[in-house]
Amino acid sequence: MASAGAPAGLLITFRQPAPAPLLDHRLGEMALTLSSKLEMNHVPEHVVRFAMDLLDADAGALPVYDPDHDRLLPGHLVNLPVDLMTPVKGPRRGLMWQMIEQGKSILIPDYATHPMALPELARIGVSSLLATPIMHGKTPLGILAVYRFHDEPFQERDRDLLQAIAHQTAIALQSARLYQRAIRNADERYTLDQASVEIAATLDLEQLYQAIHRAVDRLILHAGFAIALLNDQQMVEYVYLVTPAGRQPELRLPLTHGIAGYVLRFGVSLRLSGAHALPAPAMQPALEIEGDLAHRSLLATPLVVGDRIIGALLAGHDHLDASTMSDLSALEMLAATVVVALHNALRFTHVQSLAMTDTHTELVNRRHFLHHLQHEIDRSRRYHTPVSIAMIDIDHFKQVNDSYGHLAGDHILRELAQRCRQHLRDVDILARYGGEEFGLILPETPYQAALLAAERLRQTVMAMPFLVDGQQLTLTLSIGVATFQPVSHPDPSSLIADADRALYLAKRRGRNRVCGAQELSTYAEP
């Protein structure tokens, strides 16, 4: 017998690897489980837990490789610092990038002394690391890593097992990616089909712009959107511009400014992240459109009809790396879907504009003036808001034509129209009514305010002589004003007749003056 206090024997235990049939069974269970996980975010969690259990690991991680941005996303971590949850991007340094580039696993039995060990992991007591890349053919999908905190390091046999798990994981991740791509493609096709139906149903440009924007909303995560068109003067017109602050006024910039100008000049699509990604040759920035590109992402693609570039679509985000190549592909497909309808709508609008515009003055013509007047009268009846008109005639204009010729007369008419428009509101409608006579619609303007507006025009024209054949020529206007009254004016022609009578009253009183219809009872016509 052993004496008291002396050891009675020695118990020795050995950690045996699981028998091969059992491992095969567990790997088969894993493959079966993963085959039902078609959502990308479900795969990493199951794989990490399974690998930790099978390899007796204390922690695990499965960073996922993002090829669009050349970075490693956290994927799923167990028992590791949350500091590691940030994406790994930038210069390809460290053990993880080494595995991605070489496609080889690593086994570090004494992690703390390794020259490439992360201080965050050494501090929490990681003693051994085993990691392997997850590859689909030659394409990296991610990295599977397990960690031990206790003294027994991983062995070579553990490497083989981890690689077997990584092989099954690659199949699951690729299946999940293909499933997600199929879902996205189906969503994109549906969105593009819906957009084509919407767009084909209208030739109205504003409705078309909004339909395109709705399609972008469904296709791409973005914080700003623009439709830019190339006009006849080779300027970029931002006809539809939306920022986080809302819809912005239309803007016109030179072709050398901004990403849209670059796309229109070179016919290329762009995916930018940060100012370092700006294309060459250099271009002038368009801060009012794109913001500070040093801190933003931007997608842009041309709108091409045949071999002609007519415009561009732009979508931006307030974060770097917010857009992927898949997003750019979706924007390109949308551009190809909508460009013919947009081109047709632009041509239709141009033809309409020609039919409604006086070619000499570029003002709306008489027909369009009458159409708008009917609309404003209908609105006045419905909402009880005032609307006034002014009939304007250039005094002694026949003498100008007789003295200087009709070409000089046409030049004066164009310049007069431009001067008048500069002193009117955007909602006011100035038209060439015929000859040297103009018509002016003043929406939501009562009688006295209309008299003041007409007087401002008269004084503006009189104060600025016209230059004709090197000589200064002062012109004056006679103007008649009338305000719509439902009882007195059953139709637009009756309102125009009152304004015309006031105009002739101004001429009889000596010209170069404004008269209102309310004066007609005092100065009755003979």
Side-chain angles (χ1 to χ4, degrees), residues 28-95:
E29 285 183 342
M30 172 188 168
L32 187 62
T33 300
L34 291 181
S35 66
S36 64
K37 305 297 180 184
L38 291 177
E39 293 293 338
M40 195 75 175
N41 57 339
H42 290 164
V43 174
E45 178 181 359
H46 285 273
V47 171
V48 172
R49 294 289 183 183
F50 181 84
M52 288 174 59
D53 178 52
L54 209 56
L55 288 161
D56 189 28
D58 300 303
L62 200 165
V64 177
Y65 179 65
D66 174 14
D68 281 325
H69 302 106
D70 192 30
R71 61 181 178 178
L72 285 167
L73 302 175
H76 190 75
L77 285 76
V78 177
N79 297 336
L80 291 173
V82 294
D83 295 348
L84 300 180
M85 290 297 290
T86 55
V88 180
K89 57 183 179 178
R92 287 180 163 222
R93 292 195 294 264
L95 292 170

Side-chain angles (χ1 to χ4, degrees), residues 228-466:
L229 299 176
L230 184 63
N231 68 16
D232 293 337
Q233 291 76 43
Q234 296 297 293
M235 298 281 286
V236 183
E237 290 191 14
Y238 292 83
V239 295
Y240 187 89
L241 178 60
V242 176
T243 70
R247 180 77 178 266
Q248 303 300 314
E250 294 185 10
L251 188 65
R252 181 180 296 184
L253 292 176
L255 197 56
T256 53
H257 286 60
I259 297 298
Y262 187 93
V263 169
L264 290 169
R265 277 185 291 158
F266 298 103
V268 296
S269 295
L270 296 175
R271 179 174 71 95
L272 305 177
S273 181
H276 63 279
L278 287 176
M283 61 179 192
Q284 294 293 325
L287 295 177
E288 56 271 69
I289 305 295
E290 298 140 6
D292 184 3
L293 282 177
H295 307 289
R296 301 193 77 224
S297 301
L298 191 71
L299 299 174
T301 192
L303 293 160
V304 184
V305 178
D307 58 354
R308 180 168 162 245
I309 302 172
I310 66 168
L313 301 182
L314 293 87
H317 201 284
D318 292 332
H319 299 289
L320 295 176
D321 298 327
S323 304
T324 66
M325 288 303 296
S326 296
D327 293 327
L328 181 58
S329 176
L331 192 65
E332 288 174 331
M333 286 191 291
L334 178 63
T337 301
V338 306
V339 67
V340 173
L342 180 59
H343 182 56
N344 289 339
L346 288 168
R347 292 175 62 185
F348 176 76
T349 301
H350 178 65
V351 170
Q352 268 197 326
S353 176
L354 291 177
M356 297 183 298
T357 303
D358 173 67
T359 55
H360 289 300
T361 61
E362 297 184 353
L363 299 176
V364 298
N365 58 23
R366 178 173 181 166
R367 177 183 175 187
H368 196 48
F369 174 83
L370 295 173
H371 171 77
H372 268 286
L373 183 55
Q374 181 67 65
H375 172 76
E376 291 298 334
I377 287 176
D378 291 342
R379 198 162 70 94
S380 178
R381 291 184 190 277
R382 187 179 305 116
Y383 299 110
H384 307 290
T385 55
V387 57
S388 298
I389 68 168
M391 300 305 292
I392 305 166
D393 190 77
I394 305 175
D395 296 328
H396 305 297
F397 190 70
K398 185 178 182 300
Q399 296 177 12
V400 175
N401 283 329
D402 292 343
S403 301
Y404 299 97
H406 287 282
L407 288 179
D410 288 345
H411 170 74
I412 289 174
L413 287 175
R414 282 194 297 273
E415 188 171 340
L416 178 74
Q418 291 175 2
R419 290 187 189 181
C420 290
R421 279 192 299 191
Q422 290 172 359
H423 291 82
L424 293 170
R425 303 170 301 177
D426 290 340
V427 296
D428 298 334
I429 299 165
L430 182 65
R432 186 179 182 191
Y433 199 73
E436 67 269 21
E437 190 174 9
F438 296 84
L440 174 63
I441 303 173
L442 299 163
E444 299 191 15
T445 306
Y447 180 73
Q448 292 298 330
L451 290 174
L452 291 175
E455 178 62 21
R456 282 196 300 271
L457 281 185
R458 186 192 68 79
Q459 292 183 10
T460 297
V461 171
M462 183 178 63
M464 297 179 63
F466 294 81

Side-chain angles (χ1 to χ4, degrees), residues 6 37 39 76 79 87 101 121 140 159-160 188-189 207 219 226 234 290 315 324 347 449 482 492 513:
K37 305 297 180 184
E39 293 293 338
H76 190 75
N79 297 336
E101 291 177 341
L121 297 182
R159 187 199 298 260
D160 295 336
E188 285 179 356
R189 283 196 296 271
Q207 293 181 16
L219 287 170
Q234 296 297 293
E290 298 140 6
T324 66
R347 292 175 62 185
R513 66 186 67 243

Side-chain angles (χ1 to χ4, degrees), residues 463-520:
M464 297 179 63
F466 294 81
L467 191 63
V468 181
D469 291 343
Q471 300 180 17
Q472 288 192 341
L473 177 65
T474 299
L475 294 178
T476 60
L477 302 178
S478 295
I479 305 176
V481 173
T483 300
F484 172 68
Q485 302 292 335
V487 176
S488 305
H489 305 124
D491 51 37
S493 61
S494 57
L495 179 61
I496 293 172
D498 272 359
D500 265 334
R501 291 169 62 206
L503 167 62
Y504 292 131
L505 176 61
K507 286 184 173 294
R508 287 201 308 274
R509 295 179 63 191
R511 294 183 171 83
N512 190 22
R513 66 186 67 243
V514 176
C515 287
Q518 291 183 13
E519 301 177 57
L520 293 173

